[in-house]
Amino acid sequence: MNFTLTEEQSLLGDAIDRFNADRSRRRGVDASEGRGRPEATGESMRALWAGLAELGLAGLLVPETYGGSQAGVGGSMADVMVMMQAAGRALMVEPLVATAVIGATLLEADTDLTRRAQYLDRLVGGDLLVALAHAEPDASASMFRVTTRAQAQGDVYVLDGRKSVVLDGGDADLLLVSARVSGSADEAHGVSLFVIDASAPGVVRRDYATLDGHRACELMLDAVRLPASAMLGAPGEARALIEHALDRGSAALCAEAVGVMETLLAHTTEYLRTRQQFGQVIGRFQVLQHKAVDLLVHLEQSRSMAYLACLRADAPDRDEAARAVSAARVSMARSARAFAQTAIQLHGGIGMTDELPASHHARRLSLIEFWLGTREQHLDRYMALAARDEATSSA
Amino acid sequence: MDLEYSADEMAFREIVRTFVRAELPADIAGRVLDHRRLSRDDHVRWQDILARKGWLTGHWPRRFGGLDWTPVQCHLFDEETAAAGAPRLIPFGLNMVAPVIMAFGSPWQQSHYLERIRQNLDWWCQGYSEPGSGSDLASLRTSAVRDGDHYVVSGQKTWTTYAQHADMIFCLVRTAQGARRQEGISFLLIDMHSPGITVRPIILLDGEHEVNEVFFDAVRVPVENRVGEEGRGWTYAKYLLGHERTNIAGVGASKREVRSLRELAEQLRRDGQPLARVESIARRIAEIEIDLMALEMTVLRVLSARTEAPGPEASILKLRGTEIQQAITELAMDMAGQFALPFVPQAFESGGVGEGVGPSALAPLAARYLNMRKVSIYGGSNEIQKNIIAQTILGL
Ligand SMILES: Cc1cc2nc3c(=O)[nH]c(=O)nc-3n(C[C@H](O)[C@H](O)[C@H](O)COP(=O)(O)OP(=O)(O)OC[C@H]3O[C@@H](n4cnc5c(N)ncnc54)[C@H](O)[C@@H]3O)c2cc1C
């Protein structure tokens, strides 16, 4: 067992921190303010993303053959963990999870080798934004219910359905859409993944901001006609791939939460050391010290679970991977919420204001648990897998 | 000992219910029940309706134009109006400064300001907190220097709720540098339209504008607007805080919100089933409901036992009341699931939700969760309430 980062990984984290600090200085805001939305800074998402691609972030998970993972870093979820913690520290809002983690995972699995090379090359260069459109508007206990239909008609597929809260879907060039070619809503088999150009006829997107400063879209598919070649992988067998990509995304979110907590803890302890009431700094009040300690405990628990999630997400035993990731998501959700609540409380009135940078971190922590599966969905999934495990071992 | 309401009390409840059903404007109730934003006018309209009936100040003593409602009547009124979707009564005049003026104000202040509050003519706000003085209120620095028949007030207040709407502000100001900091504080009633007052908005983390900074630049305030004696403001301020904290318990509104949780749980489906059938959700609703029952019984006990101003037991109500309010919004957000994420500013406006994402009832839930983090901070933070209880009730 070894929890130390390689030298290259440390350098990667430092490089991203430096990049964010420089960028904030140019924008004239604090490095951790999280006011990085393009609409707030007047920059375009494309330009921002190109900058990150130059840093090697877009292609971090992409094999070297396609131009990704250079200079000894990249290709592993440990690298993603380092990247996402740094992203969390500065509240980056670029599509790291959507494109660099989930998008890259899915495109790398493409069995059409020419297309794979083409897309990965563009992705690494920062020229291709990707979004997985999987979750649907009807709430379900399972994260893998698919009712969007792909009907075979001769040599084309016709897609009808709706996808909901698609992370970074509005900016994406390429939509990777899960749709059912056969079977009923919750069946594992019968789901295919389609590669759809965002400008294809019949594709309608409604883009919106989310409370934590990110963006998502609703995706309406109305008789979208696609050649059979638009299918990524074997027909009806995309579930495992989607699950793996989402698990990597979830692990990335766990790591991001750690970074957000790091910054928020630093801000909060700094405030406790400087804010004076009753003739002393409020950090002298023992009840506040204990609350600050709770923050640290949440941070360390979350850090441990981020390790677990990132290092297990690629485990060959798929059930083992899924269990670890969902466990980490549940733990992260609980810690993130309690952390945000306590950090706001410790700041008093100022913690409630949009003007305070720390409140942006608190907002991200309050909402991060609702992306890529909710706490309840992950808990259900964890329990189902644990029950299955029990049944097998007692059989 | 008797837990049942008397026949008179039941009759009172019925009268209130009938009146509210007939008089509460449907558009206002709709906004309250859907958690949409309320305008100044919404509050004023509803309070005007109550004022005409004399019910805005039903809880006041008769000699100040009230109806001498008993604590149980007040509770029933609160519950019935809240249940129907009436806006919360803006407490700063009615429940905060009024009791202080009744107890310590001059005959002129009583006839002038209390009458105007009774008729809903002035919107009041509370000028206690300052940037350097929140929990440690007695360290406040806004100064009032005597100049003939006036005080000249200079300094800054902050977190002033609805100062943007207000006609009057009651302020704690420093009139002397006493040996004890509490001794040099006086209590002034200041016209918000006075020259020298500037209001600057503060935006909260859910994007809402409800609090402000208020700047005083040599604002002239007639001496007759000082409540009670110079230098005794701290005593009056503490008297007021007891009233504020009881009010914060918000039982009526929380009961309405629990009902709204239940409705949401019936309306939202997971795997085709109403959320109300999902055990993890159903249990959480039940637990909140039980906590609320305990709070309600405690409020009734405290109010019934009360002779004068509420004492430190008001802190218990504030603690539990705010914890329950927060638990409700937390559960509502969890029920929204992925639909907690979208930020659709139009969703808070009266009228439509624009094009919402997910069922329209869900759009304001996460923002409301964030907004309700405030209740454990204002009115004296919950840490401060615990300090008060530890010192004054437990003698620690
Ligand atoms: C939405 C909102 C509306 C408000 N409306 C009004 C209004 O209309 N009028 C008005 O005058 N004020 C208003 N307030 C201000 C409110 O009363 C103060 O925010 C509150 O008293 C806390 O003060 P502070 O913000 O300066 O925090 P601080 O006093 O700096 O407290 C920071 C943290 O330290 C803790 N702390 C401080 N002292 C102690 C101690 N001795 N022991 C343990 N912990 C301690 C606090 O609990 C808090 O967690 C409002 C606040 C909010 C958020």
Side-chain angles (χ1 to χ4, degrees):
Chain A
M1 207 160 274
N2 174 11
F3 288 103
T4 46
L5 300 180
T6 64
E7 176 157 6
E8 288 83 359
Q9 286 167 337
S10 302
L11 290 174
L12 172 70
D14 293 345
I16 303 174
D17 286 344
R18 232 179 4 258
F19 175 90
N20 284 321
D22 285 350
R23 187 159 80 170
S24 311
R25 213 168 298 125
R26 273 203 315 280
R27 287 171 173 163
V29 293
D30 183 281
S32 59
E33 279 199 26
R35 303 230 161 106
R37 286 301 319 168
E39 56 271 25
T41 58
E43 299 154 287
S44 83
M45 181 52 93
R46 297 271 153 194
L48 293 173
W49 188 243
L52 296 181
E54 245 168 73
L55 215 72
L57 303 190
L60 193 69
L61 271 179
V62 175
E64 216 166 337
T65 19
Y66 299 105
S69 54
Q70 293 141 350
V73 264
S76 84
M77 282 301 291
D79 304 315
V80 166
M81 183 177 83
V82 171
M83 169 177 81
M84 292 309 297
Q85 283 185 19
R89 281 194 287 272
L91 279 190
M92 292 172 77
V93 294
E94 288 85 354
L96 289 169
V97 172
T99 293
V101 179
I102 297 177
T105 303
L106 296 172
L107 291 178
E108 199 197 319
D110 197 349
T111 45
D112 176 339
L113 299 185
T114 324
R115 182 170 64 188
R116 170 164 77 174
Q118 217 176 18
Y119 280 147
L120 286 180
D121 183 60
R122 285 179 58 198
L123 184 144
V124 169
D127 186 33
L128 185 75
L129 295 177
V130 188
L132 168 64
H134 171 66
E136 301 190 348
D138 286 335
S140 61
S142 157
M143 287 177 269
F144 300 100
R145 156 168 299 192
V146 176
T147 61
T148 296
R149 301 224 54 106
Q151 205 88 43
Q153 288 183 6
D155 54 0
V156 300
Y157 280 95
V158 182
L159 269 65
D160 282 287
R162 179 165 168 175
K163 298 290 179 176
S164 198
V165 199
V166 178
L167 173 59
D168 289 313
D171 288 317
D173 307 295
L174 211 58
L175 298 164
L176 301 172
V177 178
S178 61
R180 188 159 282 291
V181 289
S182 67
S184 62
D186 288 310
E187 227 169 287
H189 295 283
V191 175
S192 288
L193 194 63
F194 290 88
V195 183
I196 307 182
D197 192 306
S199 60
V203 172
V204 176
R205 287 184 288 181
R206 204 151 50 70
D207 185 30
Y208 49 84
T210 58
L211 255 177
D212 53 1
H214 284 252
R215 293 198 82 82
C217 80
E218 296 303 283
L219 175 66
M220 276 70 71
L221 302 161
D222 181 16
V224 179
R225 294 173 71 80
L226 300 168
S229 63
M231 200 185 280
L232 194 155
E237 298 305 326
R239 158 80 181 250
L241 173 61
I242 293 169
E243 205 164 343
H244 181 217
L246 281 175
D247 277 342
R248 279 181 154 190
S250 271
L253 288 180
C254 289
E256 183 189 340
V258 171
V260 182
M261 288 181 197
E262 284 173 349
T263 303
L264 190 47
L265 180 61
H267 278 289
T268 306
T269 48
E270 179 59 23
Y271 195 71
L272 292 176
R273 273 188 220 103
T274 46
R275 170 70 172 172
Q276 301 235 2
Q277 289 291 275
F278 302 100
Q280 51 188 313
V281 293
I282 58 175
R284 305 260 333 144
F285 297 123
Q286 211 162 44
V287 62
L288 302 193
Q289 291 174 358
H290 287 191
K291 283 180 197 259
V293 171
D294 291 341
L295 295 186
L296 182 73
V297 173
H298 282 303
L299 168 58
E300 290 309 326
Q301 288 296 108
S302 301
R303 196 192 300 283
S304 302
M305 290 308 260
Y307 271 102
L308 179 77
C310 289
L311 299 179
R312 285 271 156 79
D314 289 348
D317 178 343
R318 286 304 310 146
D319 281 1
E320 188 191 345
R323 249 175 95 168
V325 169
S326 279
R329 282 292 311 261
V330 171
S331 170
M332 177 274 263
R334 291 188 356 204
S335 284
R337 180 171 299 177
F339 197 109
Q341 292 177 347
T342 302
I344 292 172
Q345 184 70 22
L346 287 174
H347 276 89
I350 195 89
M352 285 297 301
T353 63
D354 191 62
E355 288 164 40
L356 184 82
S359 80
H360 296 228
H361 288 74
R363 212 157 42 198
R364 176 66 173 155
L365 281 183
S366 301
L367 288 156
I368 194 167
E369 63 171 281
F370 296 104
W371 291 105
L372 311 183
T374 62
R375 182 193 318 204
E376 290 228 2
Q377 285 175 324
H378 282 287
L379 187 56
D380 280 346
R381 182 172 180 237
Y382 175 86
M383 287 168 68
L385 288 163
R388 184 148 33 133
D389 202 40
E390 190 105 323
T392 341
S393 54
S394 62
Chain B
M1 211 169 281
D2 185 0
L3 277 182
E4 305 311 319
Y5 290 122
S6 70
D8 282 354
E9 287 163 348
M10 299 290 278
F12 175 80
R13 182 202 279 280
E14 209 39 53
I15 292 170
V16 174
R17 186 174 293 179
T18 311
F19 176 82
V20 174
R21 199 177 290 142
E23 299 294 332
L24 174 63
D27 60 322
I28 297 179
R31 281 190 279 283
V32 170
L33 296 174
D34 288 346
H35 308 112
R36 309 286 175 219
R37 190 182 290 131
L38 295 177
S39 66
R40 181 187 201 274
D41 177 62
D42 289 334
H43 286 285
V44 171
R45 257 159 76 209
W46 171 235
Q47 296 198 171
D48 277 345
I49 291 168
L50 291 177
R52 280 196 292 276
K53 180 87 177 165
W55 284 2
L56 189 59
T57 48
H59 58 300
W60 284 13
R62 278 198 194 277
R63 67 197 162 95
F64 295 113
L67 298 172
D68 261 339
W69 281 349
T70 63
V72 170
Q73 284 178 312
C74 293
H75 178 72
L76 291 172
F77 179 78
D78 174 54
E79 185 171 328
E80 285 302 319
T81 48
R88 181 176 86 105
L89 299 181
I90 301 298
F92 304 110
L94 285 171
N95 300 324
M96 293 194 196
V97 80
V100 172
I101 295 177
M102 288 175 198
F104 309 105
S106 67
W108 173 77
Q109 287 165 352
Q110 293 180 342
S111 63
H112 181 72
Y113 287 118
L114 290 182
E115 188 52 23
R116 290 183 63 84
I117 292 172
R118 205 175 67 84
Q119 294 182 33
N120 199 35
L121 297 177
D122 294 324
W123 185 304
W124 284 79
C125 64
Q126 177 184 24
Y128 274 25
S129 307
E130 298 183 5
S133 311
S135 300
D136 181 16
L137 193 54
S139 68
L140 62 93
R141 300 207 326 232
T142 296
S143 72
V145 179
R146 186 72 181 257
D147 177 23
D149 289 342
H150 285 80
Y151 286 105
V152 180
V153 176
S154 299
Q156 183 196 343
K157 295 292 173 182
T158 192
W159 311 125
T160 321
T161 301
Y162 295 142
Q164 75 267 34
H165 299 328
D167 305 301
M168 293 293 299
I169 182 170
F170 56 91
C171 271
L172 293 181
V173 295
R174 188 159 294 288
T175 40
Q177 307 290 337
R180 283 184 69 245
R181 301 176 312 165
Q182 284 82 347
E183 279 163 11
I185 294 175
S186 299
F187 195 109
L188 297 185
L189 311 176
I190 305 178
D191 186 337
M192 282 295 281
H193 311 291
S194 313
I197 293 184
T198 322
V199 176
R200 192 189 76 86
I202 300 174
I203 302 304
L204 295 184
L205 79 176
D206 58 339
E208 290 297 291
H209 171 205
E210 57 182 68
V211 298
N212 305 271
E213 293 180 293
V214 182
F215 297 90
F216 297 85
D217 180 13
V219 176
R220 295 184 70 80
V221 180
V223 169
E224 63 184 10
N225 277 29
R226 186 192 69 224
V227 173
E229 293 170 45
E230 186 173 287
R232 301 263 299 149
W234 187 250
T235 317
Y236 315 145
K238 287 211 308 196
Y239 180 84
L240 182 152
L241 281 177
H243 284 269
E244 177 178 3
R245 282 167 199 156
T246 325
N247 193 263
I248 278 176
V251 171
S254 284
K255 278 182 141 181
R256 176 186 69 220
E257 293 307 322
V258 168
R259 249 190 323 272
S260 152
L261 275 182
R262 285 206 177 283
E263 283 162 18
L264 199 62
E266 288 297 340
Q267 185 192 336
L268 297 179
R269 297 183 167 261
R270 182 183 295 171
D271 294 327
Q273 281 252 52
L275 274 188
R277 301 291 115 70
V278 174
E279 194 183 328
S280 59
I281 301 283
R283 294 182 84 95
R284 279 175 72 186
I285 298 180
E287 286 185 38
I288 290 175
E289 210 165 63
I290 292 166
D291 284 346
L292 187 52
M293 247 179 231
L295 176 67
E296 184 178 15
M297 289 308 294
T298 313
V299 167
L300 286 169
R301 272 177 56 213
V302 169
L303 289 179
S304 308
R306 168 174 147 197
T307 44
E308 254 307 302
E313 66 278 8
S315 293
I316 300 177
L317 305 183
K318 198 268 173 174
L319 274 181
R320 286 307 289 146
T322 55
E323 284 165 359
I324 290 169
Q325 288 163 29
Q326 291 181 335
I328 290 170
T329 57
E330 200 166 330
L331 177 52
M333 177 171 75
D334 284 336
M335 281 161 54
Q338 62 178 345
F339 297 115
L341 289 164
F343 178 55
V344 188
Q346 311 90 287
F348 306 98
E349 290 301 343
S350 27
V353 282
E355 257 190 296
V357 180
S360 70
L362 304 183
L365 296 183
R368 196 159 61 96
Y369 162 79
L370 290 172
N371 183 277
M372 288 307 275
R373 305 315 311 163
K374 71 188 175 189
V375 300
S376 51
I377 295 172
Y378 69 22
S381 75
N382 285 14
E383 287 75 26
I384 294 299
Q385 306 302 334
K386 287 185 182 174
N387 288 349
I388 293 172
I389 295 171
Q391 283 154 25
T392 56
I393 300 184
L394 299 178
L396 297 171

